[in-house]
């Protein structure tokens, strides 16, 4: 009885959100790359990569810069920061020289990583808000069984 008509602009916009992009093996890109769809890199990228979806770096890929994405799978080389909001998979052939920020990490045997790793589920604002609610203490209002056990020298002796 009721029908809806989507405009061509609306359809094009939805199509772009499901797009897939490939940087080929013999391709060299300098500059920042931003996409709302998936991205597969087999070549060289010098600059930042931002994706609202998944970034896959093949075995021949080299990225020098920050990679920001929802999910990522790395089989190539990265010199820079990986900021992944979902799952990050470092394949056996991966070489990462830089920092990692992700809540979920799969590290296959053979993968190389040299840097700092920060695995967070909560944002800094949430943690600060919780501390402020409890007047500076993360443990205020918790029962004794919910508080962490703190060992001191006196208690250990």
């Amino acid at each position: 009885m009721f029908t809806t008509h989507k405009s061509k602009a609306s359809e094009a916009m939805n199509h772009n959100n499901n797009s897939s992009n490939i940087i080929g093996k013999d391709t060299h890109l300098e500059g920042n790359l931003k996409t709302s769809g998936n991205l597969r890199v087999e070549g060289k990228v010098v600059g930042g990569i931002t994706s609202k979806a998944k970034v896959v770096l093949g075995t021949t890929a080299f990225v020098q810069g920050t990679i920001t994405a929802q999910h990522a799978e790395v089989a190539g080389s990265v010199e820079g920061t990986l900021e992944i909001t979902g799952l990050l998979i470092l394949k056996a052939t991966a070489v990462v020289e830089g920092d990692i920020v992700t809540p979920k990490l799969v590290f296959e045997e053979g993968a190389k990583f040299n840097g700092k790793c920060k695995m967070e589920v909560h944002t800094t604002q949430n943690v600060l808000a919780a501390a402020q609610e409890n007047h500076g203490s993360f443990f205020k209002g918790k029962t004794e069984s919910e508080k962490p056990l703190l060992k001191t020298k006196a208690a250990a002796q």
Side-chain angles (χ1 to χ4, degrees):
M1 186 195 284
F2 297 103
T3 60
T4 58
H5 298 285
K6 290 184 178 179
S7 69
K8 289 185 181 188
S10 173
E11 287 178 24
M13 190 178 245
N14 288 335
H15 177 68
N16 288 339
N17 289 340
N18 296 325
S19 67
S20 292
N21 306 281
I22 298 173
I23 306 295
K25 184 177 178 180
D26 294 324
T27 303
H28 179 99
L29 175 69
E30 290 190 31
N32 295 325
L33 179 64
K34 185 175 182 179
T35 180
S36 59
N38 296 325
L39 174 65
R40 180 170 187 89
V41 179
E42 295 290 345
K44 182 177 181 179
V45 177
V46 178
I49 295 175
T50 303
S51 172
K52 292 182 181 177
K54 184 175 183 177
V55 173
V56 176
L57 303 182
T59 56
T60 59
F62 173 78
V63 176
Q64 186 177 27
T66 298
I67 299 174
T68 305
Q70 183 177 12
H71 303 291
E73 186 174 305
V74 178
S77 299
V78 177
E79 287 182 6
T81 303
L82 289 159
E83 297 175 355
I84 310 303
T85 58
L87 175 64
L88 170 61
I89 300 172
L90 298 180
K91 304 298 256 178
T93 56
V95 177
V96 177
E97 293 285 336
D99 298 339
I100 293 174
V101 179
T102 185
K104 299 176 188 173
L105 176 62
V106 174
F107 199 96
E108 290 185 3
E109 184 177 353
K112 295 173 179 66
F113 166 59
N114 188 19
K116 291 183 272 183
C117 182
K118 190 172 194 176
M119 297 183 73
E120 289 187 333
V121 176
H122 302 291
T123 65
T124 305
Q125 288 178 338
N126 290 343
V127 172
L128 292 175
Q132 197 171 30
E133 264 181 29
N134 296 321
H135 306 287
S137 172
F138 293 107
F139 307 115
K140 189 170 184 167
K142 297 194 186 266
T143 65
E144 287 301 315
S145 63
E146 293 175 316
K147 293 180 183 178
L149 298 174
L150 300 176
K151 293 184 180 180
T152 63
K153 261 188 173 176
Q157 293 175 348

